[in-house]
Amino acid sequence: MKRKLLSVLVILATADATAQVTDAMIAKDAADTESVLSWGMGTQGQRFSPLSTINTKNVNKLVPVWSMSFGGEKQRGQESQPLVHKGKMFVTASYSRIFAVDVKTGQKLWKYEHRLPEGIMPCCDVINRGAALYDNLVIFGTLDAQLVALDQNTGKVVWREKIEDYTAGYSYTAAPLIAEGMLLTGVSGGEFGVVGRVDARDPKTGKLLWTRPTVEGHMGYKDGKENGISGTTNATWPGETWKTGGASTWLGGSYDASTGLAYFGTGNPGPWNSHVRKGDNLYSSSTVAIDVKTGKIAWSYQNTPNDAWDFDGVNEFVTFDMDGKRVGGKADRNGFFYVNDAKTGKLINAFPFVKKVTWASSIDIKTGRPVFDPANRPGDPTASADGKKGSSVFAAPGFLGGKNQMPMAYSPKTQMFYVPTNEWGMDIWNEPISYKKGAAYLGAGFTMKPLFDDHIGSLRAIDPKTGKVAWEVKNNAPLWGGVLTTAGDLVFWGTPEGYLKAADAKTGKVLWQFQTGSGVVAPPITWNDGADQYVSVVSGWGGAVPLWGGEVAKKVNFLEQGGSVWTFKIPSSTNVASK
């Protein structure tokens, strides 16, 4: 009897161990077709799947197999990328909620709804972009700047840690990143004079391991001890402006095991009025590469020095191989696409990926710096007659960017990036501003405007070597959802009008689309279970466009909110016949 009981315990222990998410599994996430363990479908963020069961020949047979509603009145923008592991889908939703769902049926297994305090200050809707998996935990961040780790099977809280003070304007909206056994997170709140940073924690306990500020002059810490100041105090920030410098790391990061570096984009410097903080303002509007073992900055590259247009540089840095080198691609909000050496940060290539860029004429490859057009910087209000409003300029892209939060995808098969872009501009002017804890810290006014009558959004296939656009699919409304590409020569993306679409990755020909009932502002995923390949996407219109979009927002005010997850596959008999 004892022997039988021991055997049962061993079997249960083995089953438990296989259900746990390990460092080795996360390292192989991009190649694992049965799971989706990280935001980006791999820590490098390529969003490429080696699956080809669904392909250009049979994608038109794709049908929904289930849809699950987030329910309630808490809709708004739904920007989450789901995760999939051992028969469960973990998906976050607006207002700091998370659900566990049966991947085959869509049955809700459990949900956790974070109790949010009064007075939270999210800049750009009450969204959440996803979770992280580690061991038997699912970990996500909340709008009041906390991290919550839940048991994957029960949804019960295992640990909870505060990131920062939400009353000072801090919040958290990104999906955490797991790298080398550490949980890496950033902060949101760049419009409130916060100080950006990256934190590393023990994912099993939430214990803080190191923290690295992304504004020069601030001290980093490791194991509770001082670990060096970021940069040199006052080198590129005048006076005490560095103390409220912004540079929030609100989109999260990527990690490449071949370099040992985590890459975080940083947001706008504070305030928007650049005349208050003359200088480059490191490390704002930049890509910052951090050695995960030391918690120190290995290199940084500034996309927009002395940013005057809110061109947050948070956009994802996606690592890939090009000409025998490990490099990274980034489609920046400022309208330029950058290719940097992933080990050193050296600029390799830079080119505009939208049709109109006014703030700079080009990027000097030798120096890495933009060639500014001084006439297109908003004027200094102190130089105006009344001292209340600086001269207004028309700038393109508008502050919502040539690309914003919606992640692009890279296909090693076609060697192209698939980039969701937007064509718009803005009238922008500066105003006097002073810092007050918890208050908006802009010092600017603006009005967004579309550039063309027939479209704002455009999905573009771009060669990172040449900058050539191989094809594009235009969209009337702005594109605000991410992209997925597969070895089946397909590209999937969603539109605010509610469609999930699939196109031929080589030609751009749209082969399939499905109406989800609300706008898609989230990235799709794919995985397989046995012979079946599934595609899932979250649907629910919202985000920054209806809140900040000016004339553009009026153009899309007919779109309805929602909150649901859709999952698709090709029926088995059709799938076999189409191969």
Side-chain angles (χ1 to χ4, degrees), residues 90 92 96-100 110-114 131-140 147-160 203:
F90 302 95
T92 62
S96 304
R97 295 174 290 165
I98 186 168
F99 299 80
W110 56 256
K111 78 170 179 178
Y112 169 83
E113 192 164 348
H114 188 70
L133 300 179
Y134 194 79
D135 197 50
N136 66 332
L137 303 175
V138 54
I139 308 163
F140 83 116
L147 286 170
V148 183
L150 307 163
D151 184 286
Q152 291 179 17
N153 294 316
T154 66
K156 291 183 177 179
V157 176
V158 176
W159 60 259
R160 182 188 289 116

Side-chain angles (χ1 to χ4, degrees), residues 10 20 52 56 187 200 209 212 217 248 288 326 359 392 501 522 564:
V10 169
Q20 292 175 349
S52 59
T56 56
V187 294
L209 302 175
R212 174 50 52 193
S248 59
V288 177
R326 195 63 170 169
W359 67 278
S392 178
K501 297 189 176 189
S564 59

Side-chain angles (χ1 to χ4, degrees), residues 275-328:
H275 300 281
V276 173
R277 43 170 175 78
K278 293 181 179 179
D280 281 355
N281 312 136
L282 291 176
Y283 296 87
S284 66
S285 299
S286 301
T287 300
V288 177
I290 301 174
D291 185 317
V292 297
K293 292 182 179 178
T294 66
K296 293 190 174 183
I297 295 174
W299 60 260
S300 68
Y301 175 80
Q302 194 164 39
N303 303 94
T304 315
N306 193 223
D307 183 359
W309 306 270
D310 188 40
F311 287 151
D312 293 44
V314 298
N315 304 73
E316 66 282 6
F317 186 81
V318 179
T319 55
F320 65 106
D321 293 319
M322 188 176 82
D323 297 333
K325 285 185 178 180
R326 195 63 170 169
V327 301

Side-chain angles (χ1 to χ4, degrees), residues 397-422:
F399 78 97
L400 290 176
K403 191 181 86 64
N404 201 283
Q405 62 84 23
M406 53 282 193
M408 62 187 179
Y410 173 76
S411 171
K413 190 175 180 182
T414 64
Q415 298 183 351
M416 284 194 289
F417 276 93
Y418 300 95
V419 186
T421 71
N422 288 309

Side-chain angles (χ1 to χ4, degrees), residues 322-395:
M322 188 176 82
D323 297 333
K325 285 185 178 180
R326 195 63 170 169
V327 301
K330 178 178 180 177
D332 197 87
R333 284 228 330 229
N334 68 21
F336 286 96
F337 193 105
Y338 299 82
V339 180
N340 295 81
D341 187 299
K343 292 181 181 179
T344 67
K346 181 182 178 183
L347 184 64
I348 296 171
N349 198 8
F351 52 84
F353 65 93
V354 291
K355 293 176 181 175
K356 189 168 186 176
V357 177
T358 64
W359 67 278
S361 60
S362 62
I363 306 297
D364 187 316
I365 300 298
K366 289 184 179 180
T367 65
R369 296 183 65 84
V371 180
F372 286 106
D373 182 346
N376 277 293
R377 180 177 294 270
D380 184 352
T382 63
S384 64
D386 60 5
K388 294 181 179 180
K389 181 179 177 181
S391 57
S392 178
V393 299
F394 180 77

Side-chain angles (χ1 to χ4, degrees), residues 56-74:
T56 56
K57 294 180 180 179
N58 62 14
V59 67
N60 63 328
K61 304 294 194 303
L62 204 60
V63 296
V65 290
W66 59 261
S67 176
M68 187 210 75
S69 171
F70 295 142
E73 298 176 357
K74 296 180 176 180

